[in-house]
Amino acid sequence: MTTMLKKKPLLGFWGLWNISFGFFGIQIAFALQNANVSRIFQTLGASIDDLPILWIAGPVTGLLVQPLIGYFSDRTWGPLGRRRPYFLGGAILCSIALVAMPNSSALWMAASLLWMLDASVNISMEPFRAFVGDMLDERQRTAGYAFQTVFIGAGAVVASLAPALLNNVFGVSNVAPEGVVPDSVRWSFYLGAAMALGAVLWTVLTTREYSPDQMAQFTRETGPETPHAAAVPSLVGAFAWIAAGAVIVALVSALGLDNPLYILGFGLAAFGAAQIANHVRAASGRSAGVLGHILSDLWSMPQTMRRLAVIQFLSWFALFILWVYATPIVTQYQFGSTDTASVAYNEGADYVGVLFAVYNGIAALYAFAIPAIAARIGTARLHALNLVAGGLGLASFAVIGDPNLLMVSMVGIGMAWASILSLPYSILCGALPQNKLGIYMGLFNIFIVLPQLVVATVMGALVRHLYPEAPVVSFLIGGGFMVAAAAASLRLSRTTQ
């Protein structure tokens, strides 16, 4: 009887629905951004090789916001619980940004609002990941993250199809004068703002989190891994990070490389400086602050988390290439136009939304099958197979000329997307201490945003200098990274099988 009381009760269908439904709204905002921000930037005058640096808001805000939100949400308890105050506040800010962005009159304004939108999405997204882990017993964890993936896919389908549906069904114009965002995009963002806030409110109002006392009673069927031995890096390592950043900055200045590479250099140096500051604090005998806790937990990640971090880095490098370059590549290669005011370009841009809806729809449907397949062949093997399918889907853009055939490519990408959204988190939860689930989920996000930061600072230079006439090569690179992630998945411990 005692053992049973220490297990979280299993949730029924509607319980799983309620704890995950808010992600439907968050994903609407995320998918509207992914499918339309490059279009908005190009409409306001951005060139194709400017796009990666304009997208820098995503990785930077994720890198800074999610670990902080994870740290504080682990230590929060109030009338709304532990996680719910954060994803509600993020949803409110997100809705404001969605309403404002398509009304941008200048590129700098749209770029600034992307920072706000990305920050608010990250504020909501991180505690939702931990929320599912908080609420579910180990027996339902894979099903819980798969259920969340269903809503992520459904929200993305709605958001991705919105401009095309408004245009083709309701007659809302998808073209506008030069420098003006079309009405179909504008109204998609308005509707998205309402749905994002409404879906998050549903979860806030229909769920009740376990209190700290209740959480203390629950034990795992299998305990978390022992943290890595080296909890704090040496000062030598800290100065090495600073030196690496300084070398990059010096090379950019001396060789006249692209200015976005400065961000990478200064980022590495800042990471080293943060470690030195943490050493100074520890040497002075002061208690660990936010920075100390975050750095300590970062360097004491369990081994499974370290291996998953490599897989996430490679996977998300490929995904960010897809999101940044899908619109310019499809409009140029499959629709034959780079003129943002032309009918062909805007038809191609709308079609990108359709393609995104297809792969998200496939992800939502496939997520229902993931728990059963994972139980049969193992989570790591299944993840590897799905990532190979995604890599082939990305690479196929380079050889497909008929836009209708790109639907086949979306099947593989949808399988990979469903897997990326569920299986790593299911594996990760089993390796983490429950009282640090928020901070470790936030730290895990670092290995999602770091590849985005690399893409944002490096891919523009690659496109400009190595293959300026063939930007579709970027999709071949993305496919290669996805297959490399599949190979890394096979190295996961047999305990994850």
Side-chain angles (χ1 to χ4, degrees):
M1 182 67 176
T2 301
T3 303
M4 292 299 295
L5 289 175
K6 292 182 180 179
K7 293 181 180 180
K8 296 173 187 174
L10 298 180
L11 299 185
F13 175 86
W14 288 110
L16 293 171
W17 173 291
N18 290 338
I19 67 172
S20 298
F21 187 69
F23 231 119
F24 175 73
I26 294 171
Q27 189 61 29
I28 285 176
F30 192 52
L32 280 171
Q33 168 188 305
N34 288 343
N36 295 285
V37 165
S38 285
R39 179 181 188 174
I40 292 172
F41 285 161
Q42 287 190 294
T43 297
L44 296 173
S47 64
I48 186 171
D49 50 6
D50 287 333
L51 292 178
I53 191 59
L54 289 170
W55 275 78
I56 199 72
V60 172
T61 56
L63 193 65
L64 298 176
V65 170
Q66 290 216 22
L68 289 172
I69 295 297
Y71 172 85
F72 286 114
S73 70
D74 280 342
R75 291 160 173 77
T76 293
W77 184 257
L80 284 179
R82 176 196 276 185
R83 316 292 183 188
R84 289 180 295 167
Y86 293 95
F87 52 70
L88 177 58
I92 293 170
L93 293 174
C94 177
S95 297
I96 295 171
L98 284 172
V99 171
M101 179 172 280
N103 292 298
S104 300
S105 57
L107 184 58
W108 68 265
M109 186 182 298
S112 299
L113 285 167
L114 179 59
W115 281 84
M116 178 178 175
L117 178 58
D118 259 310
S120 58
V121 166
N122 277 294
I123 290 170
S124 291
M125 190 175 292
E126 194 286 331
F128 249 113
R129 296 289 190 197
F131 183 62
V132 172
D134 290 342
M135 300 297 292
L136 295 181
D137 185 78
E138 260 191 39
R139 294 165 291 173
Q140 286 191 302
R141 191 168 294 134
T142 298
Y145 282 110
F147 215 101
Q148 193 176 86
T149 300
V150 171
F151 281 118
I152 291 172
V157 168
V158 171
S160 299
L161 284 177
L165 287 175
L166 287 172
N167 174 238
N168 295 319
V169 178
F170 298 99
V172 180
S173 177
N174 74 335
V175 294
E178 186 174 353
V180 177
V181 176
D183 285 344
S184 60
V185 175
R186 193 188 310 271
W187 279 100
S188 296
F189 275 59
Y190 296 162
L191 293 171
M195 288 188 285
L197 184 57
V200 171
L201 277 172
W202 177 282
T203 291
V204 169
L205 296 175
T206 60
T207 59
R208 182 178 179 182
E209 296 184 65
Y210 294 119
S211 69
D213 289 340
Q214 289 174 309
M215 290 295 289
Q217 297 174 21
F218 298 129
T219 59
R220 299 178 180 277
E221 293 174 4
T222 57
E225 295 178 15
T226 301
H228 199 271
V232 180
S234 67
L235 278 174
V236 174
F239 281 110
W241 284 105
I242 294 175
V247 168
I248 292 175
V249 170
L251 287 174
V252 174
S253 178
L255 301 179
L257 302 177
D258 283 7
N259 287 337
L261 290 171
Y262 279 121
I263 297 173
L264 186 60
F266 285 123
L268 294 177
F271 181 60
Q275 294 178 43
I276 292 174
N278 189 40
H279 273 279
V280 171
R281 176 206 52 76
S284 67
R286 287 178 289 167
S287 61
V290 176
L291 178 63
H293 280 291
I294 290 175
L295 288 176
S296 177
D297 288 333
L298 176 64
W299 288 98
S300 61
M301 292 186 299
Q303 184 63 35
T304 294
M305 183 172 173
R306 290 171 178 268
R307 291 181 176 179
L308 284 168
V310 174
I311 298 165
Q312 289 293 85
F313 182 94
L314 297 170
S315 304
W316 283 84
F317 192 101
L319 288 171
F320 203 57
I321 286 176
L322 169 69
W323 296 332
V324 172
Y325 287 106
T327 294
I329 285 174
V330 170
T331 54
Q332 178 178 342
Y333 285 88
Q334 278 78 30
F335 285 80
S337 177
T338 58
D339 180 4
T340 60
S342 69
V343 173
Y345 175 90
N346 283 282
E347 286 180 350
D350 281 351
Y351 193 69
V352 169
V354 175
L355 292 175
F356 280 26
V358 169
Y359 89 71
N360 278 288
I362 288 169
L365 294 174
Y366 183 50
F368 285 110
I370 280 179
I373 301 174
R376 188 175 184 84
I377 69 172
T379 51
R381 292 190 187 94
L382 177 58
H383 195 47
L385 289 173
N386 292 332
L387 292 175
V388 168
L392 293 175
L394 276 173
S396 68
F397 274 70
V399 296
I400 292 176
D402 183 351
N404 292 320
L405 291 180
L406 292 178
M407 295 292 181
V408 179
S409 306
M410 293 299 105
V411 174
I413 293 173
M415 292 173 63
W417 183 228
S419 194
I420 289 167
L421 291 173
S422 56
L423 293 181
Y425 295 97
S426 176
I427 295 170
L428 181 63
C429 274
L432 298 178
Q434 186 72 47
N435 64 338
K436 288 191 174 184
L437 195 56
I439 180 60
Y440 273 123
M441 285 292 183
L443 291 172
F444 193 53
N445 188 66
I446 290 175
F447 304 100
I448 292 174
V449 300
L450 278 180
Q452 297 178 36
L453 185 60
V454 174
V455 170
T457 56
V458 172
M459 288 304 295
L462 289 179
V463 172
R464 185 182 304 111
H465 297 298
L466 297 184
Y467 44 92
E469 303 302 322
V472 75
V473 172
S474 299
F475 272 32
L476 292 175
I477 295 172
F481 270 81
M482 195 77 84
V483 172
S489 296
L490 296 177
R491 295 187 63 251
L492 286 172
S493 168
R494 286 185 177 273
T495 59
T496 66
Q497 302 299 309

